[in-house]
Amino acid sequence: MASGLVIAENYSFSLVDIAAPSQGNPTDRQPVPGSLVTLGTGSVLATFASAVETHEPYVDLECWPAEPPYGPGDDPWEVNARETLVVPAGRLTVISGVSGQEAAFKLTIPPGPYQMAVWCRGRADARAARGSYLYGVEHWLVRLWPPTGHRTDPIS
């Protein structure tokens, strides 16, 4: 597991594989309007649509050896999404939506196909606090695990 504050710019931030070759500018990818997550290409695995233009949401990034037997717990989460993606090299971090600033945390996992579940909460509180620079009001939980039939063990 890796977690911490990340920078959201222009309503977005992205999950990237920093060990994979990039294709174009990783900050050019924008979320599809109305979607919580937009899948990327190359080193950009997914772009997340934040509720506020510029702030620092808190992100928990987890890798499980198999599909988690439960959701994110008892706390209420406002929105969720589920996608399938391929991790090309396995060195993951989160970057800001415009300047490409990397988060302080990294997660190393085996390359290959993964299921991804994403939950978010605090969006309404973040929208209500516009005009202030926010730290950790919006909270994201991103879980990855290999598809059924694939077995990988997290490295870190």
Side-chain angles (χ1 to χ4, degrees), residues 14-98:
S14 296
L15 176 65
V16 297
D17 189 336
I18 57 176
S22 62
Q23 294 177 338
N25 185 344
T27 60
D28 286 344
R29 174 74 61 191
Q30 293 300 312
V32 172
S35 296
L36 187 64
V37 179
T38 302
L39 293 180
T41 58
S43 62
V44 179
L45 305 178
T47 299
F48 304 97
S50 180
V52 180
E53 184 175 11
T54 304
H55 69 114
E56 293 186 34
Y58 191 86
V59 175
D60 287 314
L61 180 59
E62 302 175 353
C63 184
W64 291 67
E67 182 171 0
Y70 53 89
D74 295 334
D75 295 330
W77 294 83
E78 296 172 29
V79 292
N80 63 66
R82 191 164 171 166
E83 299 287 347
T84 300
L85 53 82
V86 175
V87 174
R91 185 95 167 115
L92 307 182
T93 195
V94 176
I95 63 169
S96 59
V98 176

Side-chain angles (χ1 to χ4, degrees), residues 1-3 15 17-18 60-65 87 89-93 104-111 114 142-145 152-156:
M1 182 175 131
S3 60
L15 176 65
D17 189 336
I18 57 176
D60 287 314
L61 180 59
E62 302 175 353
C63 184
W64 291 67
V87 174
R91 185 95 167 115
L92 307 182
T93 195
F105 59 86
K106 312 255 185 302
L107 180 68
T108 301
I109 64 175
Y114 284 87
V142 179
R143 286 185 173 161
L144 300 167
W145 66 91
T152 59
D153 294 315
I155 296 170
S156 66

